[in-house]
Amino acid sequence: MDRDWEVTRLCTALDACSHGRSTVVEITGDPGLGKTRLLAEIASHARATEVTVLSGRASEYEQERPFGAVVESLRTRLEQAPSRAEPAVDEETRALLDLVMARSSRPVPRAPQLLDVERFRLFGAVSRLLESAGGDGGVLLCLDDLHWADDGTLELLHYLLRNPPAVPVVLACSYRPRQARPRLLACFPETVDGYRVERLRLAPLDRRAGDLILGTELATEQRDRLYTTSGGNPLYLEVLARLAAHSQAASAHFSSQCPGQFVDLPGSLRAALVREVALLNPEQLSVLRAAAVLGDPFDPNLLATVADLALGPTLEALDVLAEMDLVRRGEPSGRMLEFRHPLLRELISGESPPGWCLAAHARADRALREAGAGPVARAPYVARSAEAGDLDAVHLLREAAERTMYSVPATAASWLTAALRLLKPADAGSGEPRLGVLLALARALGLTGDLVGFRAALKEALGLLPPDQRSRWVGVVALQAKVERILGSISEARSVLEAELAAWPRSSGVANPLRLELATVRMIQRAYDESAAYLDTAVQHANETGDRGTRIAADACRALGAAYSGKTEALLAHASDAAAAVDEMEDAELVAFLDPLSQLGWAELLAERYDNAVRHVTRGIRIARDTGQSHVMPYLLLSHSWAHRAVGQLAEAVGSAEAAEEMAYLLGQSDLLGYSLALRARAIMIRDHPVTAAPLAERALRTVRARGRLWGLTAGVLSLIRFEQGRLDDCVSLVQDIIDQPRHSAPTHSIKATFFSTAAQAEAARGRLEAARTWARRAAEAATAVGLRGQHGHAAVAQACLVGRDAKAGVELLGSAVADFASTRQVLVEGRTRLALARAQAAAGQFGAATENVGQVKQTAVAYGAGHLHVQAVNAQRRIGAMGPRVRSAAPSRLSPRESSVAELATQGLSNRDIAERTFLSVKTVEAHMTRIFRKLGVDSRWALAQAFGERQDSEGDAAAEP
């Protein structure tokens, strides 16, 4: 096939992989144009290198099979990875992957956190598996026919496109664009900058390339006719050329054995493919049909049972099929077989009689059961073959759905829907079997974001509840409203709750779940008095029954409402009460109150109790994972990220933000997604540089659609990044936009001073002192109103930028701000403020104190991995050193001649490596000299060393390795 240009581009991707660069290759084209052949070509090239090859193919007939396009290659890799030798393939990774990939029914760790795993954790396990496979040369992952991919495969693809594995990878994907689902097409625009991108759009071959396939044995007239018939499609050309000399009689023979509708192929190609299988005897045809039932690739050990033949005739037929090149050995292990081309399987599947297919799927399930396969592997065949009233099939489908609920909820929903079809009214009895399936279906649909289906399933479930079990109704309605709220439908949640609550007397404590959820909804809508009224009623009933969970939920909701409305005293009191109760409760008692625990975490963040927030939110995340409550994870993860960034744990902050981002993607929530990106950008700005963080923050603000609290918080992150970039106009404009939001979307009172302070500093930096004074005054008023020390710190920083030449006033204000931030454990904000304090101290002539503060900031930056703060500290150290007095000292005389030479070069700003090159010493020898020099002179920095030598430090390089 003449695809030289495309092959060259594929080889370029492999070459980039060998040099540590990842590439996404998107191959598109109509059926038969050579997409599969190109993937085979790049795999062949890769096997000649150190690149690990993994490949998979989606199928039209296994779209309900979880991760159908990748399952075989990943299972093979998992089996090849030694269980103890490879740290990347740890026990959790194996357990997570085994939930959806294992064919056998061997015991699986049944810890709830593994059975009810969130999808992003499973995707992380797949990524770790790819990393373990990478070795020295990276990984080639070929995914063919993605237009047929199941939801799990598409979500995994989306994850990998946005989160490149830690090893170089070539992600080669092929699909038919005219048959591609919107979900697939939406994946590729999300590809992050960590990948190169190659897009290969295949066109029909020209006549010259067509002749290469047809060969010279055919006459020119025949080649002309075949090329015209094929339209330049290489697959059609190959089939037509192979069969050009064959008899036309075969077609009728095949059609008489195989009645039914063929797949939608051009007539000439269909006839050509028909001739290939026309002379198969009945046993060979049954084996080929059985292979089509089992999938592509398929396990040859199951063929005899599915074909309903003895083993001997089955193996003989299989040999004939392989000899005719209808089936081939599959990759990567070779133990599985596959069809020569997906179109061939389409043809065989399309012509197979429906009754035969129904029986074959039942036999396939029996074969898998006898082979020890578990519910997940058997479910696709059970769903197609079970008869109405088969309660064992219902049980199996429900178990398979539970196992895949949080990894591929769309697949779980399809199996639960099949289970519902199998239930007869007489089988339902009291309604319990159908009720259980419906509630599970609602959960699965809720996780996919299908609110229409979610509501329908819940409504039907509610209709099955008998009057004497109306208390169960309350829990279902509260769950419906909670999911509506989390997915952004606040008004809908309120309507559902108010309608149901109206049916319950105020004296009934059974309706407390409705009251708690409605109180949360009204608090979010800033109707604080209404929220408090619902909470009062709920607490009254809770006090009568000793229900601690309800009291915690009420205190958490009140605390968050107080934070939003600026009532700090109430915020602190209710947060303390909720925290004390939570700390006394066992995890099992908190399972039903994770949403209140999330609210408590947010309230503690706004109360500047960051350590408490870290503790409580971390606990909530653990319980949510252990019990599979993915719907509460986004807000827990967001507060987890914020809290860890506040206390300086940047790696944890970035990791939690990424996890929240993944959950937001899966739920389709743009506002949550935008704020997740913003939190990640905030941590990256401190860890790396504002320039690195800016594109992420810009994308975050574009992603948040609604002008509300999350928009304001996201804009606040971008304003701070703009300030650090020196884009002061943009910084002030963003803060003004935050303040100008409508009243119902105004920023939270307990953090207003933060925004005002940023604007004050920006206005002062661009010389607009009157505007800066206005912002500083507003910061002071906001801080006084809430009385939080961190907010007072931000107000003091704003005031300090207005002191002009009164350096001592600046020192006093900034010293107060440092103490405020230290008291709340905001270590990196404290470090940034301490750096400003050091500059003010140097301006006031307090060089010793300035040097000490800069050194402390550098130590903090190193300890917490705050790269940007470290660079700022180094630059401040140089400027302060240049400002300081020259001090001559006799101390250098105590140094040896070599030490004096090294010290002199160090005072000129040379790094240890530079000094080594100048003196023809090793870097380690220079480091040893510097250690002795520092000890002899009693100094602890190069700035102090420069003072000892009476020289100013004007170097462009920082110390490469200070002792």
Side-chain angles (χ1 to χ4, degrees):
M1 186 194 312
D2 187 14
R3 295 288 189 192
D4 292 344
W5 182 85
E6 289 86 353
V7 172
T8 299
R9 303 314 304 159
L10 295 175
C11 290
T12 299
L14 286 177
D15 185 60
C17 184
S18 66
H19 288 85
R21 187 75 191 274
S22 294
T23 304
V24 172
V25 182
E26 187 183 358
I27 306 174
T28 59
D30 289 337
L33 286 181
K35 301 182 296 298
T36 301
R37 179 74 64 84
L38 278 177
L39 290 178
E41 188 76 18
I42 188 175
S44 176
H45 282 276
R47 291 189 186 95
T49 68
E50 295 183 344
V51 174
T52 300
V53 179
L54 301 174
S55 59
R57 174 190 293 167
S59 168
E60 181 181 11
Y61 304 99
E62 276 87 40
Q63 293 185 43
E64 79 284 7
R65 185 182 179 193
F67 304 99
V70 296
V71 65
E72 290 299 337
S73 60
L74 293 180
R75 181 189 293 117
T76 299
R77 174 59 198 165
L78 192 63
E79 292 171 350
Q80 291 173 347
S83 59
R84 303 287 183 188
E86 298 192 38
V89 189
D90 55 25
E91 288 304 314
E92 182 185 24
T93 301
R94 289 176 176 277
L96 293 174
L97 295 170
D98 198 42
L99 292 178
V100 292
M101 296 182 184
R103 283 191 182 273
S104 70
S105 59
R106 59 189 174 87
V108 176
R110 296 196 63 83
Q113 66 267 28
L114 297 184
L115 292 180
D116 290 332
V117 62
E118 303 91 350
R119 282 164 281 181
F120 74 86
R121 292 181 71 208
L122 180 61
F123 299 159
V126 172
S127 186
R128 292 195 299 274
L129 185 63
L130 292 177
E131 290 165 5
S132 76
D136 297 328
V139 178
L140 167 65
L141 178 58
C142 296
L143 300 177
D144 198 6
D145 287 339
L146 285 176
H147 50 278
W148 284 324
D150 61 280
D151 289 310
T153 296
L154 293 183
E155 288 175 354
L156 174 61
L157 173 64
H158 201 185
Y159 176 89
L160 293 175
L161 290 173
R162 289 179 289 107
N163 300 275
V167 297
V169 61
V170 177
L171 192 56
C173 307
S174 82
Y175 63 90
R176 304 175 192 172
R178 286 189 284 188
Q179 291 178 247
R181 296 163 57 191
R183 191 167 193 172
L184 170 62
L185 298 176
C187 287
F188 293 99
E190 298 286 349
T191 303
V192 297
D193 293 338
Y195 286 107
R196 297 172 62 253
V197 177
E198 291 280 3
R199 291 186 172 89
L200 308 181
R201 296 177 173 85
L202 304 188
L205 300 178
D206 59 23
R207 176 56 194 273
R208 182 187 63 82
D211 282 345
L212 292 176
I213 295 176
L214 293 171
T216 58
E217 297 178 359
L218 298 175
T220 302
E221 183 179 343
Q222 281 183 295
R223 292 200 301 270
D224 289 344
R225 185 173 65 254
L226 293 179
Y227 178 81
T228 301
T229 301
S230 72
N233 186 300
L235 173 67
Y236 301 176
L237 277 168
E238 288 181 347
V239 174
L240 292 171
R242 182 184 304 170
L243 301 175
H246 286 194
S247 168
Q248 299 292 328
S251 178
H253 175 78
F254 180 75
S255 297
S256 65
Q257 296 186 61
C258 308
Q261 296 297 318
F262 295 156
V263 291
D264 185 19
L265 298 173
S268 57
L269 177 65
R270 184 187 305 116
L273 290 174
V274 161
R275 291 182 208 128
E276 283 203 83
V277 296
L279 299 180
L280 295 178
N281 65 35
E283 291 178 344
Q284 294 160 357
L285 184 58
S286 292
V287 171
L288 196 60
R289 286 172 172 169
V293 166
L294 283 172
D296 198 11
F298 58 89
D299 187 344
N301 294 317
L302 305 177
L303 281 176
T305 301
V306 180
D308 199 20
L309 296 171
L311 180 60
T314 299
L315 296 180
E316 292 175 4
L318 186 59
D319 288 341
V320 173
L321 299 177
E323 186 177 348
M324 294 177 64
D325 196 27
L326 295 173
V327 299
R328 298 171 173 175
R329 288 189 181 276
E331 295 295 339
S333 65
R335 66 181 177 85
M336 304 289 283
L337 300 180
E338 62 186 15
F339 282 83
R340 184 185 72 228
H341 195 279
L343 289 176
L344 183 59
R345 186 190 176 206
E346 287 184 60
L347 177 70
I348 300 301
S349 296
E351 59 75 30
S352 296
W356 187 94
C357 288
L358 185 67
H361 280 96
R363 294 192 294 269
D365 172 54
R366 186 177 78 240
L368 287 170
R369 184 179 68 249
E370 292 171 351
V376 173
R378 294 174 55 197
Y381 303 100
V382 172
R384 290 192 180 109
S385 63
E387 297 180 1
D390 187 343
L391 296 182
D392 288 338
V394 171
H395 176 75
L396 182 138
L397 291 170
R398 185 171 176 185
E399 184 177 354
E402 290 293 339
R403 290 189 174 216
T404 56
M405 180 74 70
Y406 293 93
S407 55
V408 271
T411 297
S414 71
W415 289 339
L416 290 165
T417 301
L420 285 176
R421 290 197 301 267
L422 297 177
L423 283 171
K424 293 181 177 179
D427 296 328
S430 64
E432 284 296 327
R434 189 172 189 85
L435 176 63
V437 174
L438 282 168
L439 291 177
L441 176 60
R443 189 154 42 107
L445 293 172
L447 289 170
T448 66
D450 180 4
L451 287 182
V452 174
F454 175 83
R455 295 186 189 107
L458 278 183
K459 184 176 180 180
E460 187 176 350
L462 291 172
L464 293 176
L465 283 169
D468 61 344
Q469 295 185 25
R470 194 174 179 87
S471 59
R472 294 177 65 184
W473 187 306
V474 168
V476 176
V477 172
L479 172 63
Q480 178 185 5
K482 183 178 297 183
V483 173
E484 296 276 16
R485 166 170 60 85
I486 291 172
L487 295 179
S489 302
I490 304 294
S491 297
E492 180 66 23
R494 178 186 174 187
S495 298
V496 168
L497 290 165
E498 289 179 341
E500 179 59 25
L501 190 58
W504 290 87
R506 191 175 185 278
S507 59
S508 174
V510 174
N512 266 0
L514 302 172
R515 296 187 182 102
L516 291 176
E517 183 58 32
L518 189 52
T520 297
V521 167
R522 297 304 284 148
M523 180 266 294
I524 291 172
Q525 294 178 320
R526 298 179 188 262
Y528 301 116
D529 292 341
E530 283 188 44
S531 175
Y534 290 122
L535 294 174
D536 289 342
T537 304
V539 169
Q540 179 183 344
H541 292 298
N543 288 335
E544 294 171 357
T545 59
D547 181 1
R548 289 196 296 175
T550 293
R551 291 199 296 267
I552 288 173
D555 279 326
C557 186
R558 292 186 202 273
L560 192 53
Y564 288 158
S565 57
K567 298 177 180 178
T568 304
E569 185 176 348
L571 161 63
L572 299 177
H574 289 300
S576 295
D577 289 344
V582 164
D583 292 340
E584 291 177 358
M585 293 177 72
E586 299 293 332
D587 285 0
E589 297 178 87
L590 289 173
V591 167
F593 297 96
L594 293 185
D595 191 50
L597 193 57
S598 172
Q599 294 177 32
L600 172 61
W602 279 100
E604 288 174 328
L605 289 174
L606 296 172
E608 299 179 349
R609 295 177 173 177
Y610 299 107
D611 288 328
N612 284 358
V614 167
R615 186 176 75 256
H616 292 135
V617 173
T618 300
R619 187 181 180 192
I621 289 173
R622 187 185 71 249
I623 297 172
R625 284 177 171 164
D626 287 353
T627 57
Q629 297 187 61
S630 295
H631 61 280
V632 299
M633 285 293 289
Y635 287 103
L636 285 170
L637 288 166
L638 289 172
S639 52
H640 196 255
S641 177
W642 182 357
H644 277 91
R645 190 260 309 156
V647 299
Q649 304 298 328
L650 298 179
E652 290 82 355
V654 171
S656 295
E658 288 176 339
E661 177 186 341
E662 209 54 47
M663 294 297 294
Y665 264 116
L666 296 174
L667 291 173
Q669 286 301 292
S670 60
D671 291 354
L672 292 180
L673 172 59
Y675 189 48
S676 303
L677 294 169
L679 284 175
R680 184 150 65 98
R682 178 75 186 274
I684 288 173
M685 179 194 77
I686 303 168
R687 187 191 68 186
D688 300 333
H689 195 275
V691 172
T692 306
L696 197 60
E698 292 164 4
R699 179 181 161 206
L701 196 60
R702 290 195 302 269
T703 303
V704 179
R705 295 175 182 171
R707 289 269 181 135
R709 288 192 184 94
L710 291 183
W711 185 91
L713 292 169
T714 302
V717 170
L718 184 56
S719 71
L720 183 58
I721 291 173
R722 291 296 190 235
F723 177 77
E724 293 290 330
Q725 288 181 291
R727 294 176 56 171
L728 305 177
D729 289 354
D730 291 343
C731 170
V732 174
S733 178
L734 281 164
V735 174
Q736 190 64 57
D737 284 347
I738 295 170
I739 303 305
D740 287 345
Q741 290 187 96
R743 181 179 175 278
H744 68 274
S745 302
T748 300
H749 287 275
S750 61
I751 56 174
K752 277 186 176 180
T754 306
F755 300 131
F756 296 149
S757 178
T758 301
Q761 294 173 72
E763 292 287 31
R766 61 177 180 166
R768 293 166 50 102
L769 296 183
E770 193 58 38
R773 194 169 286 111
T774 299
W775 285 114
R777 185 185 70 252
R778 297 179 73 177
E781 291 171 352
T784 300
V786 296
L788 295 169
R789 289 200 65 178
Q791 294 299 290
H792 279 298
H794 286 293
V797 170
Q799 292 291 333
C801 69
L802 299 171
V803 298
R805 296 183 179 180
D806 189 354
K808 290 185 178 180
V811 168
E812 183 177 350
L813 286 166
L814 291 169
S816 171
V818 166
D820 285 332
F821 293 131
S823 71
T824 60
R825 277 257 295 140
Q826 298 182 73
V827 291
L828 298 179
V829 177
E830 175 197 342
R832 183 170 175 268
T833 309
R834 192 178 292 278
L835 208 54
L837 172 61
R839 297 189 189 102
Q841 289 169 331
Q846 301 172 15
F847 293 104
T851 301
E852 182 179 348
N853 274 318
V854 171
Q856 188 170 339
V857 173
K858 286 179 66 176
Q859 291 175 2
T860 298
V862 170
Y864 289 94
H868 179 53
L869 182 62
H870 187 267
V871 169
Q872 290 177 311
V874 167
N875 292 336
Q877 187 179 55
R878 294 173 189 152
R879 288 193 292 270
I880 292 170
M883 294 167 62
R886 296 187 178 186
V887 179
R888 292 286 179 182
S889 172
S893 63
R894 299 201 302 267
L895 304 179
S896 70
R898 174 64 77 181
E899 290 168 349
S900 296
S901 174
V902 170
E904 183 70 27
L905 292 171
T907 62
Q908 296 174 16
L910 273 67
S911 69
N912 289 353
R913 185 171 297 280
D914 294 335
I915 295 171
E917 292 177 355
R918 290 276 190 95
T919 58
F920 302 100
L921 301 172
S922 70
V923 174
K924 287 189 176 181
T925 300
V926 173
E927 291 173 354
H929 280 311
M930 291 296 295
T931 299
R932 289 192 292 271
I933 291 166
F934 277 34
R935 186 177 63 249
K936 287 182 178 182
L937 300 185
V939 298
D940 61 0
S941 69
R942 293 198 177 204
W943 179 85
L945 177 63
Q947 303 310 302
F949 269 79
E951 296 291 338
R952 291 188 176 182
Q953 189 177 22
D954 58 358
S955 167
E956 291 185 359
D958 182 37
E962 289 189 7

